[in-house]
Amino acid sequence: DAKTTQPPSMDCAEGRAANLPCNHSTISGNEYVYWYRQIHSQGPQYIIHGLKNNETNEMASLIITEDRKSSTLILPHATLRDTAVYYCIVSSGTASKLTFGTGTRLQVTL
Amino acid sequence: DTAVSQTPKYLVTQMGNDKSIKCEQNLGHDTMYWYKQDSKKFLKIMFSYNNKELIINETVPNRFSPKSPDKAHLNLHINSLELGDSAVYFCASSHINEQFFGPGTRLTVL
């Protein structure tokens, strides 16, 4: 699985959009970009995934660059409950292992 | 209704003991996983089972033996526990792309 690079930490004011970047320059053609988050002491939680096109669901939006070498997770209106470690993972999909990196610790503040 | 459940939530034991952690999912998924998160918060895949068959084994010591009596259960048995086995163990299940994680079992070896 391709490796990802994320900033170790970010801050965001409550109510503002949180934009979390991820570099995955060695991604191969059949690999998806997944985002998970881990709120303190809980199990990781799936957020969103995509292959080439931008994706949106009730939690977030995923913007993938045309060359697929980087992506951005957008939480449109961050709340205090969004404070967590966010992991960007590249994987070939179905029934595949997830290789977690160090992630980005997002701190949402008042 | 809990999707992926693990028992026990906490486990404290002495070095050299044998212990088991149980995992059950009620999502009807075919694939189940065990992950280990160490004190530095690195989250790593250990095993994966698909329809009760082992498909991923990530160079885990053979003191760790997963057992899948049916598709809904994946238990983890650990023999001769060592101090380095202290960690949080997460069970997960998946159907297509999304993995659902359990709440974790915090194992402390004294």
Side-chain angles (χ1 to χ4, degrees):
Chain A
D1 292 336
K3 184 176 175 175
T4 62
T5 304
Q6 300 177 250
S9 64
M10 293 182 66
D11 290 332
C12 178
E14 191 177 31
R16 304 296 294 267
N19 296 284
L20 292 90
C22 179
N23 287 321
H24 32 78
S25 58
T26 60
I27 191 170
S28 59
N30 66 339
E31 289 181 316
Y32 292 78
V33 179
Y34 289 82
W35 283 84
Y36 281 75
R37 72 181 182 184
Q38 187 173 25
I39 297 170
H40 181 63
S41 297
Q42 298 180 20
Q45 177 190 21
Y46 167 85
I47 302 173
I48 198 167
H49 77 281
L51 184 62
K52 288 193 285 190
N53 299 323
N54 298 337
E55 302 287 343
T56 295
N57 63 20
E58 65 278 3
M59 288 183 69
S61 294
L62 174 60
I63 309 296
I64 303 174
T65 58
E66 193 170 340
D67 63 7
R68 303 210 320 128
K69 293 184 177 182
S70 65
S71 61
T72 301
L73 178 74
I74 301 172
L75 306 179
H77 306 287
T79 71
L80 297 177
R81 287 180 294 182
D82 292 321
T83 293
V85 178
Y86 287 77
Y87 296 98
C88 168
I89 300 164
V90 172
S91 175
S92 55
T94 305
S96 292
K97 65 180 182 180
L98 297 176
T99 301
F100 288 81
T102 53
T104 296
R105 181 172 297 279
L106 175 69
Q107 180 69 52
V108 180
T109 57
L110 290 172
Chain B
D1 291 339
T2 304
V4 182
S5 60
Q6 297 179 226
T7 53
K9 188 171 176 60
Y10 300 96
L11 185 54
V12 181
T13 188
Q14 299 285 335
M15 275 176 50
N17 284 350
D18 303 337
K19 290 293 178 185
S20 293
I21 306 173
K22 295 185 177 182
C23 177
E24 177 181 2
Q25 55 97 0
N26 61 6
L27 299 166
H29 291 165
D30 294 332
T31 308
M32 297 185 71
Y33 311 78
W34 276 109
Y35 289 82
K36 177 182 178 181
Q37 187 166 39
D38 61 25
S39 58
K40 295 183 178 179
K41 301 297 185 183
F42 291 117
L43 191 60
K44 293 184 180 179
I45 182 81
M46 299 174 69
F47 300 102
S48 174
Y49 271 70
N50 182 262
N51 283 318
K52 304 195 300 175
E53 297 295 325
L54 180 67
I55 57 171
I56 296 174
N57 182 341
E58 288 287 309
T59 60
V60 176
N62 57 16
R63 297 183 296 105
F64 290 79
S65 52
K67 286 186 171 51
S68 182
D70 55 57
K71 275 180 24 173
H73 296 84
L74 181 62
N75 304 323
L76 184 65
H77 188 76
I78 314 170
N79 289 326
S80 304
L81 278 156
E82 300 177 356
L83 293 177
D85 297 332
S86 294
V88 180
Y89 292 83
F90 289 100
C91 177
S93 72
S94 70
H95 174 52
I96 299 177
N97 280 301
E98 179 180 349
Q99 289 192 20
F100 293 80
F101 285 78
T105 295
R106 181 174 295 276
L107 171 65
T108 303
V109 182
L110 303 175

